[in-house]
Amino acid sequence: MLGFSVLPPPPRYPGVGGYGAAGLGGIVPLVETNNTIEKPTGPEWQFLVGEGTYVLKEDLSLATPPPHPSEAPIVNPNPLATNPQPASAGTKMSLVSLHPKPPPFVYRGAAASSFGGLATLDGSNDLRYSTEGGMSSEDGRGTSNSDTQGPQVALGSAAPAFGQGNAALTMAVTKDVNKRKKPKNNVTKSNSSFISRVIVNDSLSRRLTDRPADGIFAFANINRAFQWLDMSSATKQDYLVKILFTKAHCLCHDVNMLTKGASHLDVVMGFSTGELIWLEPIAQRYTRLNKNGVINNTPVAHVKWLPGSENLFLAAHMDGSLIVYDKEKEDVAFTPEDETPSNGGSDAGDGTNGVTPGISMLIRKSVHSKNQKMNPVAAWKLSNQRIHSFSFSPDNRHLAVVSEDGTLRIIDYLKEELLDLFFSYYGGFSCVTWTPDGKYVLTGGQDDLISIWSMADSALVARCQGHESWVAALAFDPWRCDDRNYRFGSVGEDGRLCLWDFSAVMLHRPQTHNRHRGSIISNADLPERVNSYGSEEGGIAHAVEPRARIPMLPPVMTKVIDKHPLCSLEFTEDAIITSCKNGHIRTWNRPGMGAAAEPRPSESTS
């Protein structure tokens, strides 16, 4: 027998198998169980930052559903098997508050940008703050500004609507929330083979009526289940609605912050089968889109509603495509109308391990196409590898996209034009977000680093080192940001939560000499592959900066908070909320809101 071994290559669409718990050393459940909630105490459930001590308030554990009876049991699975597995994802959250409180500071003034002619960015014009890897939140990073200060929009600051000028896309805005269109199918009475079972809380109407106005709803996925939770309730483990799908796994989801109301919520969900669902949970109605993968049959890695749109949402499929859907339109088998790149260069391609990715964005269907009776509204091909995440800029004009091929793409999605192409230090990028003022883009990925990119300079200005495994999610804390300082958090597959502070002054200090660590073979050793595209002459592709030239920022706090890989992070006014691949949603109270804080009178018992 040979004295060495070779690891098999990863599957085409990596996941942790059909059941994340089993893939992580757990046991696949055989019967339906209930959510549980615990309130552990002790120093291991606290962490100290400059502003004080954060304390774990509660640990909500979502029940992993058993396999559907139609699924054949896997006996003694081979952990080294390389056959493709169904795409799966850890528990991700979409948070929404119907009446959120705005953060104490609102960004005003011009946002720096390399794009030229960028409109004034006024906090009151933000329809939503962009968020990372499948998360949408209005409790801090969501639409708190637009909801409270919408009438104060500055003249000339509003971004045009997506597809503006195309008469075939003209849609009237529904001002009366009670007249908003609902999906066509009743989810509780569905005879679809796609949905296995729907469980509605017996006291749903009473709980919706009695809850606090500023309370937070959460939508969360775990395996083949999707749950609607009331995070403001003392009995939050009792879901409001739970949907079990037959075989498909919900990988991502988002709430439309423009159409939300006490009687209406629009939720979009992306699945491992490539299908999408438009769900209205209050009316318990749904519509399936991309049914049976008629438009694109690869899993949906990330989905978001287009800012300012009632109907349109953007989905990232795992074949490297970005597709815009209309929730109310029927699907039709998609044939590309055009294969024209948005700018000069090669076609979209792979870019890992020194292979040059395409520097163009193939427009397979333009938003300006006159053929808009059916989905898709628009379709773009960016890469032949998986798109992990994307994020809309706070001015609602630009899109940051990160991929398995190790690229960050900055796109003017209103003009369908690729503006900038940046490369990772090593491996693929997994998450991306914008600073609340739109001046910087942050990415995290498989190099265990967080990179800070300046949009004004079209350059990497800092790297952040603190994780010991892949970075899974990034989010800004608007309650700790102002016009000079930024606070953001990150979570990774190492189970670690890191908090970071930085300012423009820190990023632009003269760089002191750093000893170059050459233990990792990186893209920095291959600058010629990017320089050939003219990055030094103002091209869109920018060479990788070696570690010795870029400042390295340390975290202000780092702590392992979960034994499972973390996958989601949200900030609210009162807490930090994290989730992991095993279904644990943990709420960490801010200083002054600790475990000793008194609950609301109506929530004194659990």
Side-chain angles (χ1 to χ4, degrees):
M1 182 175 179
L2 296 177
F4 62 90
S5 61
V6 178
L7 290 175
R12 174 64 173 167
Y13 299 126
V16 290
Y19 277 75
L24 295 170
I27 300 174
V28 175
L30 299 178
V31 295
E32 188 77 30
T33 56
N34 297 320
N35 299 341
T36 59
I37 192 165
E38 297 179 353
K39 299 182 179 181
T41 59
E44 67 271 26
W45 302 108
Q46 303 176 6
F47 55 85
L48 179 64
V49 196
E51 63 268 21
T53 302
Y54 288 73
V55 180
L56 180 65
K57 176 186 177 184
E58 58 201 8
D59 179 1
L60 172 62
S61 179
L62 303 183
T64 300
H68 190 268
S70 64
E71 292 189 52
I74 301 175
V75 181
N76 297 326
N78 178 8
L80 299 180
T82 59
N83 52 304
Q85 296 292 318
S88 187
T91 296
K92 298 182 180 179
M93 302 175 292
S94 293
L95 305 185
V96 59
S97 175
L98 302 182
H99 301 283
K101 297 177 182 178
F105 181 82
V106 175
Y107 287 89
R108 300 184 183 279
S113 172
S114 62
F115 312 128
L118 185 63
T120 298
L121 174 61
D122 183 280
S124 61
N125 185 43
D126 295 351
L127 290 173
R128 64 195 291 167
Y129 280 128
S130 304
T131 61
E132 167 295 350
M135 298 293 118
S136 166
S137 167
E138 141 181 314
D139 53 80
R141 297 183 300 120
T143 62
S144 51
N145 290 337
S146 68
D147 291 343
T148 58
Q149 303 178 27
Q152 302 177 21
V153 174
L155 291 176
S157 64
F162 182 67
Q164 183 170 305
N166 186 351
L169 274 180
T170 303
M171 287 177 276
V173 177
T174 308
K175 295 184 178 180
D176 187 352
V177 68
N178 295 317
K179 294 183 180 179
R180 297 197 191 281
K181 289 188 178 180
K182 306 283 186 183
K184 58 185 179 182
N185 303 312
N186 188 316
V187 70
T188 58
K189 299 179 181 179
S190 172
N191 58 2
S192 169
S193 59
F194 192 78
I195 296 176
S196 171
R197 186 182 177 198
V198 179
I199 310 169
V200 180
N201 193 296
D202 293 336
S203 55
L204 175 62
S205 298
R206 179 179 58 81
R207 290 186 63 177
L208 293 178
T209 303
D210 295 345
R211 66 188 302 274
D214 60 347
I216 296 173
F217 285 130
F219 295 90
N221 61 289
I222 178 165
N223 200 267
R224 64 183 185 94
F226 183 76
Q227 298 191 20
W228 179 23
L229 304 161
D230 183 1
M231 300 300 287
S232 59
S233 170
T235 56
K236 57 178 65 65
Q237 69 271 24
D238 298 331
Y239 48 78
L240 301 176
V241 175
K242 180 177 181 178
I243 304 175
L244 294 166
F245 299 95
T246 305
K247 292 184 179 180
H249 289 196
C250 176
L251 306 182
C252 50
H253 39 86
D254 189 37
V255 182
N256 193 326
M257 300 301 176
L258 184 67
T259 62
K260 64 172 188 176
S263 60
H264 186 96
L265 289 171
D266 285 322
V267 181
V268 63
M269 306 149 63
F271 288 86
S272 56
T273 57
E275 295 174 272
L276 298 116
I277 278 185
W278 165 34
L279 174 70
E280 207 291 88
I282 299 176
Q284 297 168 30
R285 305 190 71 82
Y286 81 102
T287 293
R288 279 171 71 186
L289 297 101
N290 190 31
K291 190 173 181 179
N292 298 319
V294 66
I295 295 173
N296 190 304
N297 61 3
T298 61
V300 181
H302 197 64
V303 67
K304 288 285 181 188
W305 293 95
L306 260 64
S309 177
E310 292 187 9
N311 282 26
L312 304 181
F313 59 87
L314 180 63
H317 288 270
M318 288 194 186
D319 66 345
S321 297
L322 286 175
I323 299 180
V324 180
Y325 295 88
D326 187 314
K327 69 181 184 184
E328 296 178 6
K329 290 183 178 178
E330 298 292 332
D331 301 327
V332 66
F334 177 57
T335 302
E337 296 181 0
D338 196 359
E339 292 285 352
T340 305
S342 67
N343 45 45
S346 62
D347 292 346
D350 298 341
T352 302
N353 299 327
V355 180
T356 306
I359 64 167
S360 64
M361 149 180 167
L362 295 181
I363 302 175
R364 292 188 163 176
K365 181 179 180 180
S366 171
V367 67
H368 300 293
S369 168
K370 301 303 179 184
N371 180 21
Q372 294 293 352
K373 292 184 179 180
M374 311 284 275
N375 278 322
V377 174
W380 312 316
K381 178 74 169 178
L382 268 61
S383 171
N384 288 331
Q385 296 197 42
R386 172 180 179 173
I387 295 173
H388 280 289
S389 184
F390 58 81
S391 180
F392 292 100
S393 64
D395 68 341
N396 300 332
R397 293 173 180 266
H398 299 96
L399 188 67
V401 186
V402 292
S403 309
E404 182 73 21
D405 61 12
T407 60
L408 162 65
R409 291 173 170 87
I410 304 297
I411 298 170
D412 184 332
Y413 72 95
L414 300 178
K415 297 179 180 179
E416 300 179 300
E417 179 182 357
L418 178 63
L419 302 178
D420 282 293
L421 178 67
F422 303 99
F423 299 88
S424 68
Y425 182 77
Y426 176 82
F429 283 130
S430 54
C431 50
V432 62
T433 190
W434 296 74
T435 55
D437 57 7
K439 293 182 179 180
Y440 302 95
V441 170
L442 275 64
T443 57
Q446 297 172 3
D447 53 10
D448 305 349
L449 300 172
I450 297 161
S451 301
I452 303 177
W453 312 84
S454 169
M455 294 297 97
D457 301 326
S458 293
L460 176 68
V461 292
R463 291 187 176 105
C464 307
Q465 186 172 30
H467 284 281
E468 298 177 2
S469 187
W470 296 359
V471 182
L474 297 166
F476 275 89
D477 182 353
W479 281 270
R480 301 292 304 176
C481 292
D482 56 35
D483 58 343
R484 296 182 180 179
N485 303 291
Y486 306 93
R487 159 70 62 82
F488 72 94
S490 61
V491 293
E493 303 230 345
D494 52 2
R496 188 178 298 272
L497 167 67
C498 295
L499 297 178
W500 314 78
D501 288 339
F502 75 93
S503 65
V505 174
M506 294 170 60
L507 298 182
H508 297 286
R509 284 176 181 163
Q511 172 66 6
T512 57
H513 176 72
N514 286 336
R515 182 170 60 89
H516 179 59
R517 297 173 62 187
S519 58
I520 298 178
I521 298 175
S522 76
N523 294 340
D525 300 320
L526 302 165
E528 64 277 2
R529 72 184 181 95
V530 195
N531 290 343
S532 61
Y533 291 105
S535 61
E536 295 181 355
E537 290 110 22
I540 64 169
H542 305 277
V544 178
E545 291 288 346
R547 292 181 72 149
R549 298 182 193 170
I550 301 299
M552 190 72 74
L553 305 182
V556 296
M557 192 288 303
T558 176
K559 182 179 178 67
V560 176
I561 61 169
D562 204 308
K563 63 182 180 180
H564 302 108
L566 295 170
C567 54
S568 178
L569 170 69
E570 297 283 350
F571 288 94
T572 71
E573 181 184 14
D574 300 331
I576 301 175
I577 304 178
T578 61
S579 68
C580 74
K581 287 191 174 181
N582 225 41
H584 290 269
I585 299 178
R586 289 179 172 154
T587 302
W588 305 83
N589 275 335
R590 292 183 187 268
M593 303 294 296
E598 290 295 327
R600 289 187 176 93
S602 61
E603 300 181 2
S604 57
T605 60
S606 61

